[in-house]
């Protein structure tokens, strides 16, 4: 059976460039911290990889400490939040501004900080629109940090992080601005300089790189003002901000994927937007509702089915070789409806009947046609539950 993979926000397939770079890096087994020639070879690999990921982020010439490789996006988010809150350089400001639809790797760390006495304000993202009035109301001298995702992983909403960071810094120049760009990196136009962020999280496996590698971009100001402390302490790798011998094979794959993705982003983005538009147009007039935010990334489309449980449709589509997801992959073990979809404005029953379709540049119009046909068949044949 032909397999159609439409769950690219959960993870993506490894691209050829990443595979080749990883095979090559496996031959270079030296420890980048070793002083002999094998170590120097591995250190060169690491330096080149940092430049490639930096360039894909829009910043080729990074100073030492400006790009920290981590074990995943989750770890980079934890380093950003806990590392800033626990930095030696203490501040009196105690408010952290975020949204009500962040990824658990942000939200759960913010809950820890709340227990430590920080006050966390979660701005509404109803309908996929960030409530800018609430943002402006909290932009004052007590603003310690802003942590806001670029693109929401379940709805595809693209939040105006540039505007928020500018307002935050205008009110308090020492406020630290963090962006979880895991779902936006190479999916929407983004430039680290114009974004105005001090910290930016990215992850390799969302851009056709390997799983288990992420990175945190750190602004020069953060380093100069010593605003970030490590939480993994040890041998002092990654400029003292993330100890542990670097995963050179994974990092080589990440860099190759970032380079390849950046080279094709200009054509890949409109292609995915075209597929999303075809899908939305194909759904018009039937009972399926599209939960499309007004400003959305091109690769994610969230839909609500008429009284059919997400899992029921997911298994039906899977039986036809089509992979989609019911919410985000990391919340698939969580009990209860998606908090992100509730924040979007769906009822619990609607949230439990919603699925996410997420594209990659390799998907085709044929994939969309096959999905539309299967959805149509599923809607007319599956047993419905009462909302
Ligand atoms: N942030 C967002 C928005 C995500 O979608 C994800 C993964 O789904 C992460 C962070 C975590 O990234 P990783 O899977 O590399 O830990």
């Amino acid at each position: 059976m032909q397999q159609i993979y439409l769950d690219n926000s959960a993870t993506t397939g490894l691209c050829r460039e990443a595979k080749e770079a990883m095979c090559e890096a496996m031959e270079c087994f030296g420890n980048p911290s070793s002083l002999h020639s094998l170590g120097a070879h591995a250190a060169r690999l690491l330096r080149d990889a940092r430049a490639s990921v930096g360039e894909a982020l829009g910043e080729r010439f990074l100073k030492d400490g400006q790009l920290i490789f981590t074990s995943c996006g989750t770890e980079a988010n934890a380093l950003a939040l806990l590392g800033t809150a626990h930095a030696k350089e203490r501040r009196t400001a105690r408010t952290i501004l975020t949204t009500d639809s962040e990824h658990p790797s942000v939200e759960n760390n913010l809950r820890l900080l709340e227990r430590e006495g920080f006050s966390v304000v979660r701005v509404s993202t109803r309908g996929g629109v960030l409530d800018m009035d609430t943002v402006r109301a909290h932009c004052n001298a007590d603003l310690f940090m802003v942590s806001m995702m670029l693109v929401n992983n379940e709805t595809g909403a693209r939040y105006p992080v540039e505007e928020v960071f500018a307002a935050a810094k205008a009110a308090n120049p020492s406020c630290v601005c963090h962006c979880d760009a895991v779902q936006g990196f190479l999916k929407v136009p983004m430039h680290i300089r114009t974004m105005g962020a001090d910290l930016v999280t990215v992850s390799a496996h969302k851009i056709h790189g390997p799983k288990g590698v992420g990175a945190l971009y750190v602004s020069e100001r953060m380093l100069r003002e010593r605003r970030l402390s490590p939480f993994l302490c040890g041998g002092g790798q990654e400029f003292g901000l993330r100890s542990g011998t670097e995963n050179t094979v994974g990092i080589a794959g990440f860099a190759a994927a970032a380079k390849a993705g950046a080279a094709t982003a200009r054509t890949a983005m409109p292609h995915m937007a075209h597929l999303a538009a075809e899908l939305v147009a194909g759904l018009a007039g039937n009972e399926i509702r599209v939960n499309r935010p007004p400003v959305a990334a091109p690769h994610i489309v969230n839909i609500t089915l008429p009284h059919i449980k997400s899992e029921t449709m997911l298994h039906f589509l899977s039986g036809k070789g089509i992979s989609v997801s019911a919410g985000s992959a990391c919340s698939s073990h969580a009990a209860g409806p998606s908090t992100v979809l509730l924040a979007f404005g769906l009822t619990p029953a609607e949230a439990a009947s919603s699925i996410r379709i997420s594209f990659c540049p390799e998907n085709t119009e044929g994939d969309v046609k096959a999905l539309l046909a299967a959805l149509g068949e599923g809607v007319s044949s599956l047993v419905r539950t009462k909302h």
Side-chain angles (χ1 to χ4, degrees):
M1 191 196 312
Q2 192 205 350
Q3 291 295 320
I4 299 176
Y5 186 72
L6 298 171
D7 195 14
N8 290 281
S9 285
T11 197
T12 55
L14 208 56
C15 66
R16 178 183 51 78
E17 291 84 348
K19 271 183 215 164
E20 286 174 5
M22 290 168 79
C23 287
E24 209 176 299
M26 277 183 211
E27 302 298 330
C28 164
F29 66 86
N31 185 325
S33 300
S34 296
L35 297 178
H36 48 64
S37 62
L38 273 179
H41 187 176
R44 259 197 316 279
L45 180 154
L46 213 53
R47 192 193 55 212
D48 293 348
R50 239 183 273 283
S52 295
V53 176
E55 191 166 14
L57 282 164
E59 187 81 272
R60 178 160 180 81
F61 300 105
L62 295 164
K63 299 225 164 69
D64 283 358
Q66 279 201 268
L67 195 88
I68 307 300
F69 285 117
T70 62
S71 68
C72 54
T74 297
E75 188 196 321
N77 278 341
L79 174 59
L81 299 171
L82 305 180
T84 302
H86 299 160
K88 282 196 211 83
E89 182 62 46
R90 289 290 161 130
R91 305 277 157 156
T92 49
R94 299 303 277 173
T95 303
I96 302 176
L97 199 62
T98 188
T99 76
D100 60 0
S101 52
E102 293 297 315
H103 188 265
S105 57
V106 166
E107 172 56 26
N108 289 336
N109 282 302
L110 290 177
R111 286 187 197 177
L112 287 180
L113 294 179
E114 269 179 317
R115 277 186 238 143
E116 292 178 17
F118 284 92
S119 156
V120 177
V121 177
R122 296 172 177 82
V123 182
S124 163
T125 55
R126 201 176 171 80
V129 181
L130 188 74
D131 174 3
M132 282 304 290
D133 288 340
T134 306
V135 169
R136 278 187 282 268
H138 286 90
C139 284
N140 54 44
D142 193 50
L143 196 55
F144 171 73
M145 189 177 193
V146 179
S147 180
M148 206 161 275
M149 65 199 335
L150 182 62
V151 169
N152 184 272
N153 50 306
E154 291 188 53
T155 65
R158 201 284 193 200
Y159 299 135
V161 294
E162 297 85 351
E163 207 184 320
V164 176
F165 295 164
K169 288 197 174 167
N172 181 6
S174 80
C175 171
V176 171
C177 295
H178 166 242
C179 181
D180 173 356
V182 167
Q183 291 288 343
F185 184 37
L186 299 177
K187 305 294 193 308
V188 296
M190 142 189 166
H191 195 290
I192 217 111
R193 280 260 165 105
T194 49
M195 186 190 268
D198 298 294
L199 301 165
V200 178
T201 298
V202 288
S203 175
H205 76 107
K206 309 290 185 181
I207 61 156
H208 303 278
K211 288 161 191 60
V213 196
L216 183 69
Y217 161 82
V218 184
S219 71
E220 281 186 76
R221 175 181 85 116
M222 290 293 285
L223 298 171
R224 199 174 49 245
E225 296 180 3
R226 301 159 67 86
R227 298 288 304 274
L228 191 69
S229 283
F231 72 89
L232 265 185
C233 300
Q237 288 90 342
E238 295 298 293
F239 312 97
L241 287 169
R242 197 274 181 189
S243 287
T245 303
E246 290 91 345
N247 169 7
T248 45
V249 173
I251 289 169
F254 185 7
K259 199 169 178 177
T264 53
R266 203 185 284 256
T267 49
M269 289 177 195
H271 173 65
M272 291 187 289
H274 169 71
L275 296 183
E278 289 277 297
L279 173 61
V280 172
L283 291 170
N286 71 18
E287 299 171 89
I288 296 174
R289 201 183 68 207
V290 181
N291 302 312
R292 195 94 171 127
V295 185
H299 63 303
I300 300 176
V301 179
N302 191 292
I303 59 175
T304 299
L305 307 163
H307 307 280
I308 298 167
K309 288 254 174 261
S310 324
E311 288 75 14
T312 310
M313 181 60 91
L314 193 141
H315 291 305
F316 176 81
L317 294 176
S318 184
K320 294 189 169 296
I322 301 175
S323 304
V324 297
S325 96
S328 68
C330 44
S331 66
S332 62
H333 304 293
S338 149
T339 51
V340 171
L341 295 182
L342 297 183
F344 192 87
L346 270 61
T347 64
E350 287 167 340
S353 287
S354 298
I355 61 173
R356 176 187 68 185
I357 296 119
S358 48
F359 298 108
C360 79
E362 302 293 308
N363 288 126
T364 63
E365 284 185 2
D367 295 343
V368 175
K369 283 203 182 85
L371 173 68
L372 283 167
L375 279 173
E377 203 186 312
V379 166
S380 50
S381 66
L382 294 173
V383 177
R384 306 199 181 201
T385 52
K386 266 232 165 315
H387 275 180

